[in-house]
Amino acid sequence: MNAAEIRALDERYVLATYARAPFVLERGEGAYLYDTEGRAYLDFVSGIAVNALGYGDPDVRRALHEQAERLIHVSNLYLTAPQAQLAQMLVERSFADKVFFCNSGTEAAEAALKFARKWAKVRFGPEKNEILAFSEGFHGRTMGALAVTPRPHYQDPFRPLVPGAKFATFNDLASAEALLDEKTCACIVEPVQGEGGVNLATTEFLRGLRQLCTERQVLLIFDEVQCGLGRTGTLWAHEFYGVQPDLMTLAKPLAGGLPMGATLLKEEVAETVAVGDHGSTFAANPLVCAVAQVVVNKISAPQFLEHVRRAGSYLEGRLLELQQRHGQIRQVRGRGLIWGLETDRDVTPLIQAGYEEGLITCKAGPRVLRLLPPLIVGQAELDRAVEILDRAFSRL
Ligand SMILES: *Cc1c(COP(=O)(O)O)cnc(C)c1O
């Protein structure tokens, strides 16, 4: 089937909830994707921060094949080794004492919100049930996560929303302080906002939030679905700030492209959750867990994280040069290998121009071009991407 035929099938049969790129992808290798016509694309989206190890990682493939030969799925009514081992790996590498597994970022947010409400109900009674979230935050599209994702475009078609959400301004501690009252059970925030425009929390903001949450008996939830697992150059994005949450959500890169989410929690919260309170049929089956073990092991290796930091500061330098040359670029922001170029116009034509030259990028809001290369990206690939962007900016 050629690209036009595949496009026709998609248009006829798949519900159109995405604006699709003009090509059809067929295979990948390292930091490159190839379309059905054999064209190569340098991939600076990575499945939206999913393919941290790039395409075709031999250890991921081996784990997938070996586990598929043995056992793919059993219910969570039954124990399997890969799941228990993965939970141990996540706990030993984080602030957390326990892990709840699910299948996506939005499910990890749902679980975190449910656990926060359960904790508050058990410890303080039913009045303490509100969730504080932030402007430009993104936590997912199912009803609970959507209720704490304050974008009219996402929320308005689906009202009424789950009640109890309230919103402060990201990086404005006073606005959060004003809303953190005795009715608040949790506060959810991305240490580095992805979808909302690649916005970095300030240290003052995140530390202040931690302190306020502790004082006012509010659980602090970090959504590290996009910024976690090495993306910013430390295993957890919050390490940079020297603060720890009470709960943390993970997903995107966790299982190397297989669907997996996880909610990590402290014992204090975990002990209020009872058997039967929450669950998932597919979550953490042996196949996903075997692959996730490989991903977590590789990403948490000190040399790997060192590579992300080095590549990230090299890319930062190149992007700042790009900003010098192109007045359309208002700001360059990011950390590690998540970067946003805020421009003075819609970035859609820029993304299209990239496609024509074999570079895949995406947006984070209409005016921010977002770069999420695989974490294994090399210097030559960073240079190539910047050169393509340079020409694309010149053309516009
Ligand atoms: C992508 C994302 C989610 C939602 O994840 P899905 O797997 O698409 O449900 C939640 N939070 C953040 C920060 C994300 O980037």
Side-chain angles (χ1 to χ4, degrees), residues 178-390:
L179 291 172
L180 282 169
D181 54 22
E182 66 286 349
K183 287 176 76 181
T184 317
C185 69
C187 170
I188 185 165
V189 65
E190 294 157 84
V192 175
Q193 292 185 330
E195 303 301 311
V198 189
N199 306 310
L200 309 175
T202 64
T203 301
E204 185 195 19
F205 175 65
L206 229 51
R207 288 197 180 161
L209 213 50
R210 173 68 277 178
Q211 196 180 337
L212 282 171
C213 284
T214 304
E215 282 167 16
R216 299 183 185 183
Q217 295 181 300
V218 171
L219 295 175
L220 182 58
I221 305 167
F222 284 163
D223 181 338
E224 295 218 9
V225 168
Q226 186 159 162
C227 62
L229 283 162
R231 179 56 57 184
T232 64
T234 47
L235 183 58
W236 314 121
H238 64 258
E239 285 174 60
F240 176 88
Y241 299 93
V243 294
Q244 292 189 335
D246 302 300
L247 298 96
M248 174 167 71
T249 60
L250 300 176
K252 289 189 165 96
L254 182 53
L258 298 184
M260 172 173 253
T263 304
L264 278 59
L265 49 165
K266 296 290 288 178
E267 188 58 37
E268 151 83 3
V269 185
E271 65 193 22
T272 64
V273 180
V275 169
D277 275 355
H278 199 32
S280 163
T281 296
F282 285 123
N285 71 34
L287 187 73
V288 248
C289 288
V291 175
Q293 283 187 29
V294 171
V295 173
V296 173
N297 238 330
K298 286 199 151 187
I299 290 182
S300 58
Q303 325 80 276
F304 188 93
L305 293 167
E306 177 60 27
H307 164 78
V308 177
R309 289 192 292 273
R310 285 229 186 99
S313 59
Y314 181 75
L315 180 59
E316 176 176 21
R318 298 286 337 248
L319 293 175
L320 290 171
E321 281 168 35
L322 202 63
Q323 185 186 17
Q324 300 276 302
R325 283 200 296 278
H326 302 282
Q328 306 109 292
I329 305 176
R330 292 242 166 101
Q331 202 183 25
V332 171
R333 38 178 201 256
R335 182 174 296 137
L337 288 171
I338 175 168
W339 288 89
L341 303 184
E342 185 172 332
T343 70
D344 60 3
R345 64 198 72 182
D346 182 10
V347 294
T348 306
L350 201 67
I351 294 170
Q352 296 291 337
Y355 292 158
E356 283 160 33
E357 290 216 46
L359 175 68
I360 295 180
T361 60
C362 66
K363 45 169 106 173
R367 287 158 190 263
V368 179
L369 185 77
R370 182 170 33 155
L371 306 179
L372 296 161
L375 302 183
I376 49 123
V377 74
Q379 184 166 318
E381 291 153 346
L382 295 172
D383 285 335
R384 185 177 153 84
V386 171
E387 280 152 26
I388 293 174
L389 287 177
D390 192 14

Side-chain angles (χ1 to χ4, degrees), residues 38-60:
R39 289 200 56 198
Y41 301 84
L42 184 51
D43 180 15
F44 271 43
V45 172
S46 307
I48 313 193
V50 168
N51 302 312
L53 301 178
Y55 299 96
D57 180 89
D59 300 311
V60 165

Side-chain angles (χ1 to χ4, degrees), residues 148-168:
V148 292
T149 295
R151 210 164 319 163
H153 174 71
Y154 292 163
Q155 290 187 332
D156 289 350
F158 308 106
R159 289 180 186 279
L161 301 173
V162 174
K166 48 192 180 180
F167 301 98

